[in-house]
Amino acid sequence: MMNGEKMKQRAFQVLGRLAERALADERRAAAFAKAIGHLQRARDEAAKLQEGALRSLGLASKSDYRDLNRELSSLRRRVRRLAESLDELRSRESGSGAGR
């Protein structure tokens, strides 16, 4: 009996051979590429429509969350730098106070 990892590896090998055979013919490969292109454009269009629908309802969209996450990361970096600067100032201050 095959364990899960061996079965997974075997499935990838079989799929790889099938893909090679399917794409060996130039016309089939071109048709496949064209179909993938259509699917990608449809996915992008659906995402735009979804974003527009969410915005029209006053709800946050995926890009809103992405922008918010980017801004939050930037703020975290700034806070970390400020905290490091503050720690450095405190350490200088305590060092100069000890010499008095």
Side-chain angles (χ1 to χ4, degrees), residues 70-97:
R70 201 174 298 123
E71 183 65 25
L72 183 58
S73 294
S74 174
L75 287 171
R76 283 181 180 149
R77 285 190 297 274
R78 288 176 63 192
V79 166
R80 191 177 318 117
R81 285 192 303 263
L82 287 170
E84 289 168 358
S85 297
L86 185 58
D87 288 345
E88 187 178 319
L89 286 171
R90 284 181 179 159
S91 122
R92 282 186 206 165
E93 189 175 280
S94 67
S96 67

Side-chain angles (χ1 to χ4, degrees), residues 7-77:
M7 192 181 295
K8 186 174 160 182
Q9 184 179 13
R10 178 76 176 129
F12 279 127
Q13 288 172 346
V14 170
L15 285 173
R17 276 190 245 123
L18 286 172
E20 282 178 22
R21 288 180 190 157
L23 299 176
D25 177 35
E26 272 189 48
R27 285 182 294 193
R28 249 188 279 167
F32 185 72
K34 186 176 179 180
I36 294 295
H38 287 305
L39 287 172
Q40 288 173 336
R41 284 188 291 281
R43 183 195 63 209
D44 293 344
E45 187 61 32
K48 286 178 189 174
L49 290 171
Q50 180 185 34
E51 186 163 336
L54 288 170
R55 287 189 191 282
S56 70
L57 294 171
L59 300 173
S61 68
K62 191 175 183 179
S63 65
D64 292 329
Y65 283 109
R66 203 172 22 245
D67 293 343
L68 186 60
N69 189 35
R70 201 174 298 123
E71 183 65 25
L72 183 58
S73 294
S74 174
L75 287 171
R76 283 181 180 149
R77 285 190 297 274

